[in-house]
């Protein structure tokens, strides 16, 4: 089956979760559109890294299906917040196992795709992941982060009006957590449990630049001005300016 048939399948699956409630249906559309953009980001990363053949085919499907669990998550729990419901990646794996998916993909390949789906939202990828699942998972994670940054920018700029995007964290002008700041300065992943306000969320996702696996993903983030835009929504104090300069140097030396 072609990639287009899988896109049609996921679209139909997502639309099965429409209820007629405009706000709820918009949330479903948001995640479907996100899935399609992550697929597009994934294809750009694959091209940039020269990854092709069967591995690229599986990576495209993994990017497309990575958020399959979001649709039943909203239907069952009424939220996209994993802390208040269920791990959407694990639910995605269970959902993919239960669906009558398009034919043409071998069972072992579906297992590889499901493994990438399961690992796409973990804090740190397991070192023991077999290949090509490890490589595919890295493509999914980078492609996903690129689009989440885009969506966050649209929210903080006022283009989107959906507080669930940032899990309800409030804007407190001038404030941010030292723990989040220090983690990003140390090039370490911040802990969501340390987030107290919207600026913490912005800092945490700015630090994602250090978590990208591919130089081409860093280049895409740079060309789109994603990190620059995130910093434009943060306080303009000396600590933030120093962090921005540090990240800009990292981008300069690590982009493809």
């Amino acid at each position: 089956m072609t990639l287009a048939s899988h896109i049609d399948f996921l679209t139909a699956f997502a639309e099965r979760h429409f209820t007629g409630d405009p706000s709820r249906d918009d949330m479903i559309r948001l995640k479907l559109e996100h899935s399609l953009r992550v697929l597009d980001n994934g294809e750009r990363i694959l091209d940039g890294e020269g990854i092709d053949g069967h591995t690229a085919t599986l990576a495209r499907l993994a990017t497309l299906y990575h958020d399959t669990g979001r649709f039943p998550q909203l239907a069952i729990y009424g939220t996209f917040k994993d802390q208040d419901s269920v791990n959407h990646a694990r639910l995605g794996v269970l959902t993919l196992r239960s669906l009558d998916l398009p034919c043409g993909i071998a069972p072992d390949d579906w297992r590889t795709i499901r493994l990438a789906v399961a690992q796409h939202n973990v804090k740190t990828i397991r070192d023991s992941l077999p290949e090509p699942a490890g490589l595919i998972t890295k493509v999914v994670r980078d492609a996903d982060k690129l689009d989440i940054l885009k969506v966050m920018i649209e929210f903080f700029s006022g283009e989107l009006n959906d507080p669930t995007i940032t899990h309800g964290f409030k804007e407190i002008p001038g404030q941010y957590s030292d723990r989040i700041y220090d983690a990003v300065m140390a090039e370490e992943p911040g802990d969501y449990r340390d987030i107290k306000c919207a600026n913490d969320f912005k800092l945490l996702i700015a630090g994602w630049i250090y978590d990208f696996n591919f130089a081409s993903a860093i280049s895409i983030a740079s060309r789109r001005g994603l990190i620059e835009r995130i910093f434009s929504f943060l306080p303009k104090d000396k600590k933030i300016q120093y962090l921005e300069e540090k990240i800009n140097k990292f981008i300069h030396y690590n982009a493809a």
Side-chain angles (χ1 to χ4, degrees), residues 33-58:
E33 291 166 0
H34 164 70
S35 297
L36 296 176
R37 290 194 302 268
V38 172
L39 167 60
D40 181 70
N41 288 338
E43 291 188 313
R44 294 173 189 273
I45 292 168
L46 293 168
D47 288 345
E49 300 297 325
I51 301 168
D52 55 16
H54 190 59
T55 297
T57 296
L58 299 187

Side-chain angles (χ1 to χ4, degrees), residues 13 65-74 88-89 91-93 95 117:
F13 176 71
Y65 286 115
H66 81 284
D67 260 358
T68 302
R70 287 300 195 186
F71 308 112
Q73 181 186 38
L74 185 66
H88 75 277
L91 183 57
V93 170
T95 302
V117 170

